[in-house]
Amino acid sequence: MIKINNLHKSFGDNQVLKGISEQINHGEVVSVIGPSGSGKSTFLRCINLLEQPTEGEIIIDGQSISAAGACVDKLRQKVGMVFQNFNLFPHKTVKQNITLAPVKLKLMTQVQADIEAESLLELVGLKDKADAYPSSLSGGQKQRVAIARALAMKPELMLFDEPTSALDPEMVGDVLDVMKSLAQKGMTMVIVTHEMGFARDVSDRVIFMDGGVIVENSEPEALFSNPKEARTQAFLSKVL
Ligand code: ADP
Ligand code: MG
């Protein structure tokens, strides 16, 4: 479903991504791990064109998104993104946060979007929070609203950038459970995470990035129990 060929991204003379090639299949759950500053966020942000690649090609569903004239709005519809810091609209209720984009883009009427929002809130375990404002929610609840909001666009692919890193430890499990249930429903997901247990349990594949390249890429069991590359071994020995 996504094919990435020789992706490069520089900021000025800082070369952050140095030639990433990768293919992600429909329904696959891929975790991306690696040290801070290795380019993980930049990689995700290139996939939905929050950053414009310097070089290389990204093809989603057979269409090149990095080509001139590619329709960014269509792409954003297909690709949902969840950030570390939730990015909810503070002056909108939970339900309004969820329905805003699909109604604005005329994917649904307000009535349809409201019905959809209710079922998404049920999915993330927050049915009773529809009319609450973000400021009254815990971090874990905010993140589950952010996931529901991304799902409201009916994306084909979900990108998660350290979705639990800003949460108090007791909130992490609820968010990971929601992500796990999405994975089990067959959602295609790319997840940048420091939750090694989760990456090991839920992913079909784990990518280890360092210095703007993919150093190692394999099934979780192989990567965690038997990493081949010295850099992977060194990283895992620090975080496991
Ligand atoms: P990670 O998510 O693995 O911690 P990032 O992709 O956030 O890594 O960052 C990799 C490098 O890219 C860092 O050196 C960072 O300073 C740089 N970088 C990221 N985004 C920008 C930006 N918008 N402008 C300039 N430099 C950036
Ligand atoms: Mg990051």
Side-chain angles (χ1 to χ4, degrees), residues 20-239:
I20 295 206
S21 296
E22 178 55 38
Q23 183 166 329
I24 294 160
N25 297 318
H26 223 275
E28 206 176 17
V29 177
V30 176
S31 290
V32 180
I33 63 172
S36 178
S38 57
K40 304 180 300 295
S41 295
T42 304
F43 175 52
L44 280 196
R45 293 168 64 83
C46 284
I47 296 179
N48 70 353
L49 291 186
L50 287 176
E51 300 290 354
Q52 190 68 43
T54 311
E55 190 188 323
E57 190 177 39
I58 301 173
I59 298 167
I60 298 187
D61 278 343
Q63 294 199 310
S64 171
I65 64 160
S66 38
C71 181
V72 176
D73 287 345
K74 270 256 156 57
L75 164 79
R76 296 259 167 78
Q77 240 163 275
K78 283 189 190 181
V79 182
M81 178 131 176
V82 174
F83 303 87
Q84 184 175 337
N85 293 315
F86 331 124
N87 295 353
L88 297 177
F89 304 115
H91 303 299
K92 307 256 178 223
T93 65
V94 163
K95 198 199 248 177
Q96 288 166 342
N97 264 278
I98 296 171
T99 62
L100 193 70
V103 172
K104 195 169 176 189
L105 292 171
K106 298 195 162 51
L107 302 180
M108 296 175 206
T109 65
Q110 186 66 53
V111 173
Q112 289 170 324
D114 284 343
I115 294 168
E116 181 66 22
E118 306 259 332
S119 81
L120 288 170
L121 284 172
E122 179 141 27
L123 179 80
V124 301
L126 293 172
K127 228 171 93 179
D128 54 334
K129 296 292 184 190
D131 299 316
Y133 283 86
S135 60
S136 71
L137 303 179
S138 71
Q141 291 171 330
K142 284 181 198 165
Q143 194 57 298
R144 285 182 281 150
V145 173
I147 294 171
R149 182 177 62 175
L151 291 173
M153 298 292 285
K154 302 196 182 299
E156 293 172 31
L157 165 69
M158 285 282 282
L159 306 176
F160 294 86
D161 193 358
E162 297 194 27
T164 61
S165 294
L167 302 180
D168 291 332
E170 72 270 26
M171 310 281 174
V172 169
D174 290 339
V175 171
L176 294 181
D177 285 347
V178 168
M179 292 168 63
K180 195 169 183 172
S181 78
L182 271 183
Q184 284 164 348
K185 288 194 169 87
M187 177 63 80
T188 311
M189 297 162 68
V190 182
I191 307 163
V192 174
T193 186
H194 293 298
E195 295 289 335
M196 297 301 152
F198 177 81
R200 189 171 187 148
D201 285 351
V202 176
S203 320
D204 298 306
R205 208 142 53 75
V206 179
I207 288 172
F208 171 66
M209 272 181 74
D210 193 13
V213 298
I214 293 177
V215 173
E216 193 159 345
N217 176 0
S218 57
E219 288 182 359
E221 202 47 42
L223 190 123
F224 286 111
S225 310
N226 196 13
K228 290 194 188 69
E229 302 293 331
R231 277 198 277 176
T232 319
Q233 290 164 9
F235 175 75
L236 290 176
S237 74
K238 282 185 219 149
V239 298

